[in-house]
């Protein structure tokens, strides 16, 4: 089973760049999208009706902002939207799908770049998510979470760690939460397989043509609970797929469904 996560930075924009063909080439069983930046009435069949997939969209109340989507070949048992907390559930950030053998979260985590209050909001969002993971673990559920986490964990995960040490996305208290994720059994699948691999990024600034020089950040993740480790075959980036300032990331799992 192949699951792909991609912050597309506008679903309508990428639809005009050959999105349907990109999906066909990547061939995911499940595709999780962040930053759709679109309301339901703005989506036509070229976006909602990809051949072979059923699609689910969750828009922010604010137009042109945030939003998530999932395309799946595998029929879920149930689909729900949000974290169940009013503070966070007006921005279209979370789609949850329950399958027979695991629970999948597609999440566009908040960006703290506009000041301390936004960093605080981001960290409260992390807390709310982790509390939900804990409750699912207590029920014996296996969990996969993917998306744009908007934080690089360690110095190895971005090109210029010292220069960005006071920038949201690499603040000490944001990075500490990546350790807290692990304490709550949310394991970074890429680093599980490639603990020392360098120059592997998922986001590059448009402003400085950073992608051409591979000056980037790894801020997109697949987290899995430890009971899924035996099934993990691969976790990596599709850095040659263009169309957004993020590249897709993916995991491959065996013998789950």
């Amino acid at each position: 089973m192949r699951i792909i996560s991609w912050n597309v930075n506008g679903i309508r924009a990428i639809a005009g760049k050959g999105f349907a063909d990109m999906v066909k080439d990547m061939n995911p069983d499940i595709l999780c999208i962040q930053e759709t930046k679109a309301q339901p009435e703005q989506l036509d069949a070229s976006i909602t009706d990809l051949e072979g997939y059923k699609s689910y969209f969750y828009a922010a109340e604010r137009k042109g902002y945030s939003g998530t989507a999932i395309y799946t070949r595998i029929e879920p048992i149930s689909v729900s939207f949000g974290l169940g907390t009013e503070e966070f559930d007006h921005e279209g950030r979370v789609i949850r799908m329950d399958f027979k053998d695991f629970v999948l979260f597609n999440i566009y985590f908040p960006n703290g770049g506009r000041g301390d209050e936004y960093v605080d909001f981001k960290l409260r969002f992390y807390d709310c998510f982790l509390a939900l993971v804990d409750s699912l673990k207590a029920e014996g559920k296996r969990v996969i979470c993917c998306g744009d986490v908007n934080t690089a964990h360690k110095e190895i995960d971005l090109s210029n760690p010292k220069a960005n040490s006071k920038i949201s996305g690499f603040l000490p208290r944001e990075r500490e939460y990546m350790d807290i994720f692990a304490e709550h059994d949310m394991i970074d699948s890429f680093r599980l397989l490639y603990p020392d691999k360098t120059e592997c990024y998922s986001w590059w600034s448009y402003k400085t043509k950073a992608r051409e020089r591979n000056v980037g950040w790894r801020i997109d993740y697949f987290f899995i609970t430890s009971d899924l480790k035996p099934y993990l075959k691969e976790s990596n980036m599709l850095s040659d797929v263009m169309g957004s300032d993020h590249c897709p990331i993916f995991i491959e799992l065996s013998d789950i469904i």
Side-chain angles (χ1 to χ4, degrees), residues 21-213:
D21 289 334
M22 294 178 197
V23 175
K24 189 174 182 179
D25 289 343
M26 292 188 293
N27 195 31
D29 295 296
I30 304 171
L31 172 63
C32 298
I33 297 292
Q34 303 92 44
E35 268 203 289
T36 55
K37 297 182 177 179
Q39 304 302 118
E41 63 273 14
Q42 297 173 310
L43 304 177
D44 61 28
S46 69
I47 296 172
T48 60
D49 299 342
L50 296 188
E51 184 178 357
Y53 295 92
K54 187 170 183 179
S55 62
Y56 300 82
F57 290 82
Y58 185 32
E61 293 176 7
R62 174 181 163 190
K63 291 185 176 181
Y65 179 72
S66 189
T68 46
I70 296 181
Y71 298 84
T72 181
R73 289 173 173 160
I74 305 164
E75 187 71 25
I77 295 169
S78 63
V79 181
S80 57
F81 303 91
L83 292 175
T85 302
E86 185 176 351
E87 181 182 15
F88 305 120
D89 289 349
H90 60 280
E91 295 187 337
R93 292 186 178 275
V94 182
I95 302 177
R96 167 181 167 176
M97 283 190 174
D98 286 54
F99 296 93
K100 179 173 69 74
D101 293 304
F102 63 92
V103 177
L104 173 67
F105 286 96
N106 173 29
I107 304 183
Y108 177 43
F109 289 85
N111 187 320
R114 290 182 288 172
D116 287 345
E117 66 180 289
Y118 292 95
V119 174
D120 292 341
F121 177 81
K122 175 181 180 179
L123 300 186
R124 291 196 303 274
F125 187 102
Y126 285 171
D127 280 328
C128 186
F129 166 66
L130 291 173
L132 182 53
V133 169
D134 288 345
S135 68
L136 292 170
K137 288 281 292 178
E139 296 172 14
K141 304 283 189 182
R142 297 185 285 199
V143 179
I144 301 170
C145 171
C146 65
D148 178 357
V149 182
N150 266 311
T151 297
H153 187 189
K154 297 183 182 291
E155 290 191 354
I156 195 175
D157 294 316
L158 73 166
S159 296
N160 298 309
K162 291 183 179 178
N164 290 290
S165 62
K166 296 182 181 180
I167 302 295
S168 180
F170 201 59
L171 296 174
R173 61 189 180 127
E174 294 172 317
R175 296 171 60 197
E176 285 169 7
Y177 261 85
M178 298 297 96
D179 296 320
I180 295 171
F181 271 49
E183 292 168 6
H184 287 255
D185 201 31
M186 286 276 90
I187 297 166
D188 178 352
S189 61
F190 176 75
R191 285 293 172 217
L192 180 65
L193 297 179
Y194 304 105
D196 302 314
K197 195 170 183 179
T198 61
E199 298 185 348
C200 295
Y201 310 123
S202 64
W203 175 82
W204 303 262
S205 172
Y206 276 145
K207 296 177 182 178
T208 59
K209 296 184 178 180
R211 193 164 187 170
E212 297 173 12
R213 298 175 288 120

Side-chain angles (χ1 to χ4, degrees), residues 190-244:
F190 176 75
R191 285 293 172 217
L192 180 65
L193 297 179
Y194 304 105
D196 302 314
K197 195 170 183 179
T198 61
E199 298 185 348
C200 295
Y201 310 123
S202 64
W203 175 82
W204 303 262
S205 172
Y206 276 145
K207 296 177 182 178
T208 59
K209 296 184 178 180
R211 193 164 187 170
E212 297 173 12
R213 298 175 288 120
N214 197 29
V215 177
W217 298 50
R218 191 174 73 92
I219 57 175
D220 301 86
Y221 296 78
F222 268 98
F223 296 103
I224 60 172
T225 45
S226 55
D227 43 17
L228 285 168
K229 288 198 295 185
Y231 304 98
L232 181 64
K233 293 174 63 179
E234 179 62 289
S235 178
N236 221 313
M237 295 87 180
L238 296 169
S239 56
D240 58 338
V241 177
M242 301 297 178
S244 170

